[in-house]
Amino acid sequence: MEITEQMPTSSEPGALYKAGSIPLCVPEMQGNEWKYVKECLDTNWVSSAGPFVDQFEQMTAEYVGTKFAVATASGTAALHVALLVAGVQPDDEVLVSALSFVAPANAIRYLGAWPVFMDSTADSWQMDPDKVKAFLDKECVWSDGELRNIKTGRRIKAVLPVHILGHPVDIDAIMDTVSKFGIAVVEDSTESLGGKYKNRMIGNLGDIACLSFNGNKIITTGGGGMIVTNNPQMASRAKHLTTQAKTDPIEYDHDEIGYNYRLSNLQAAVGCAQMEVLNNYVETKRQIAHYYNKNLEPIEGIRVPLEMEWASNVYWLYTVLVESQKFGMTSRKLMQALAQQGIQTRPLWKPLNELMPYKYCQTYKVEIAPTLYERALSLPSSVGLDRNDQDRVVKGINDAQV
Ligand SMILES: *Cc1c(COP(=O)(O)O)cnc(C)c1O
């Protein structure tokens, strides 16, 4: 099951299981994972209580630099609860990146709130802070202590910037814009654990942030997530809501509608072992990226990803742009050519405003995101990718060019 999930539709399914094929991004379990999981089984602490859950939360908070961390069943669950404790209510609006995996938009809708899709910048590919500012200044009005979208009349309650592919959003510019309006900034840091913005850790930049430990993320617990924040009220309410909002464990009293969103001790055991090697992973991912950069930059029509001067990119998925006029074929044709050689690659996500459930939602000048979607191709990026395999990917791209 997990294997198919990590290896989505982008290349021929058969090729993925052939010996010698190079997958897009797979986990690496070389540390204490086995030892810690065995400890859970030996002691019978397998479920949502147990020492590894607390330890995993502590290690994560320490790594990101926040005061609090609350483990969750998934990154999507983390987003759902983070938005809730940030005060998002039914019929509110949340500004979110158009170019992203779908989970943040879904989390907004779980609350009965509405996404407003924002564009990417051409250089960093992240949420464009100038367009956020222009939208709030020109399309919204401040009245009775609330900011309202002029067109829909709805209240703007949060901004949800998604740090895509390991690179940070220019978050200071967004914070500057929204702080005077009392709008919460909820970071989707699920793809960018270990990345930095102006030397500050991604996940410790806004009011509250969400991490994911899904199978193909920087580190994994097989599935899981985390909410991190410095805000004690948000942290304790998040913990409460993710544990069924139980107030009395004997009488089963609950003071609001809660969720079963806890991470199990088994998963947290894997998480602790993965946290121990995270610094190495970040370093390895950056080396992989630098080697790709050096070898792909000379190829006509291939644009390597930028790292802005204020950023440290963890290159979750190393992604290039294929300029089809110059390269001689589209990103999708290159994907097929590489699949034939057993090299799995993948385009970025279709912009969320083009998806069936979101077609009728508001967008604000989403112009760059569709061109990135058309051109981008993510290359094999596993921590375990060796130089031989990387050379094969580079050669594959060179050979594909006619
Ligand atoms: C992976 C991902 C998520 C969701 O994480 P899960 O743990 O799979 O629920 C959310 N947002 C983005 C941008 C992601 O890439």
Side-chain angles (χ1 to χ4, degrees):
M1 273 302 279
E2 189 59 29
I3 297 292
T4 36
E5 214 213 321
Q6 279 152 216
M7 299 184 164
T9 54
S10 58
S11 52
E12 302 170 342
L16 303 175
Y17 300 97
K18 275 186 208 145
S21 66
I22 307 175
L24 184 72
C25 194
V26 289
E28 181 92 352
M29 297 283 158
Q30 303 281 343
N32 288 318
E33 290 84 0
W34 181 250
K35 186 177 151 203
Y36 295 165
V37 168
K38 186 169 185 307
E39 218 170 293
C40 296
L41 299 178
D42 289 346
T43 57
N44 215 20
W45 285 101
V46 292
S47 192
S48 60
F52 283 115
V53 176
D54 295 339
Q55 196 186 323
F56 186 37
E57 288 176 338
Q58 262 172 33
M59 288 174 91
T60 307
E62 204 168 296
Y63 185 86
V64 176
T66 53
K67 292 204 182 96
F68 309 100
V70 178
T72 57
S74 70
T76 308
L79 284 163
H80 181 186
V81 169
L83 287 167
L84 190 49
V85 304
V88 175
Q89 292 183 4
D91 250 12
D92 281 343
E93 289 183 349
V94 178
L95 275 50
V96 63
S97 314
L99 188 67
S100 163
F101 180 60
V102 71
N106 288 346
I108 294 166
R109 289 297 298 132
Y110 295 166
L111 291 168
W114 298 95
V116 178
F117 293 109
M118 304 304 297
D119 203 12
S120 307
T121 65
D123 47 15
S124 75
W125 310 346
Q126 311 295 324
M127 181 187 264
D128 186 336
D130 294 336
K131 284 185 176 167
V132 170
K133 184 170 192 316
F135 176 77
L136 295 182
D137 286 348
K138 292 179 190 156
E139 308 286 326
C140 300
V141 60
W142 180 256
S143 78
D144 289 339
E146 286 174 349
L147 193 67
R148 288 191 178 271
N149 183 334
I150 294 167
K151 201 165 173 182
T152 62
R154 294 187 189 121
R155 178 174 77 150
I156 312 284
K157 189 56 194 171
V159 186
L160 179 33
V162 184
H163 307 283
I164 61 166
L165 300 171
H167 190 288
V169 174
D170 184 2
I171 202 97
D172 280 355
I174 290 173
M175 299 289 275
D176 278 356
T177 302
V178 304
S179 58
K180 59 178 178 288
F181 298 123
I183 292 173
V185 175
V186 179
E187 289 175 77
D188 183 332
S189 311
T190 54
E191 300 181 3
S192 300
L193 179 62
K196 290 180 194 154
Y197 173 75
K198 298 181 180 171
N199 259 328
R200 286 141 58 199
M201 280 295 190
I202 290 178
N204 193 10
L205 306 171
D207 296 298
I208 188 166
C210 300
L211 307 174
S212 166
F213 308 108
N214 182 29
N216 69 0
K217 295 290 155 72
I218 316 271
I219 58 170
T220 184
T221 57
M226 193 85 75
I227 294 170
V228 284
T229 181
N230 291 309
N231 182 313
Q233 286 83 30
M234 283 186 185
S236 67
R237 182 135 189 266
K239 183 131 195 169
H240 185 57
L241 287 170
T242 53
T243 49
Q244 304 278 31
K246 198 186 280 179
T247 49
D248 187 325
I250 313 268
E251 302 295 337
Y252 281 93
D253 201 4
H254 304 258
D255 63 354
E256 55 184 317
I257 297 170
Y259 303 88
N260 177 12
Y261 276 173
R262 291 296 283 161
L263 192 73
S264 76
N265 201 50
L266 271 171
Q267 291 165 308
V270 177
C272 288
Q274 292 267 291
M275 278 305 296
E276 289 171 355
V277 294
L278 175 55
N279 274 325
N280 291 342
Y281 282 16
V282 170
E283 191 46 43
T284 304
K285 286 224 170 241
R286 287 180 57 77
Q287 279 168 12
I288 289 171
H290 292 149
Y291 192 71
Y292 270 140
N293 277 347
K294 194 176 83 181
N295 289 284
L296 296 176
E297 217 156 20
I299 303 178
E300 175 84 2
I302 297 289
R303 264 177 56 200
V304 302
L306 287 186
E307 182 177 56
M308 306 303 286
E309 73 272 14
W310 36 262
S312 174
N313 192 345
V314 14
Y315 298 98
W316 167 55
L317 291 180
Y318 181 90
T319 303
V320 296
L321 298 186
V322 181
E323 292 170 331
S324 56
Q325 296 292 337
K326 287 190 203 158
F327 184 73
M329 67 171 68
T330 64
S331 59
R332 303 310 193 266
K333 286 274 182 236
L334 177 57
M335 176 176 83
Q336 286 165 10
L338 291 169
Q340 299 227 309
Q341 301 175 48
I343 298 168
Q344 191 192 18
T345 62
R346 185 178 89 178
L348 289 184
W349 321 271
K350 183 180 277 195
L352 300 182
N353 52 293
E354 295 179 26
L355 303 184
M356 190 72 86
Y358 295 111
K359 267 186 191 156
Y360 306 101
C361 292
Q362 199 175 0
T363 60
Y364 183 70
K365 296 187 176 172
V366 175
E367 297 149 351
I368 306 287
T371 70
L372 296 172
Y373 166 59
E374 187 190 314
R375 294 177 192 172
L377 197 65
S378 298
L379 306 182
S381 301
S382 307
V383 166
L385 188 74
D386 64 23
R387 273 290 152 85
N388 277 345
D389 284 349
Q390 259 198 294
D391 287 337
R392 262 181 65 197
V393 177
V394 172
K395 184 170 184 304
I397 294 171
N398 269 305
D399 289 353
Q401 191 172 35
V402 273

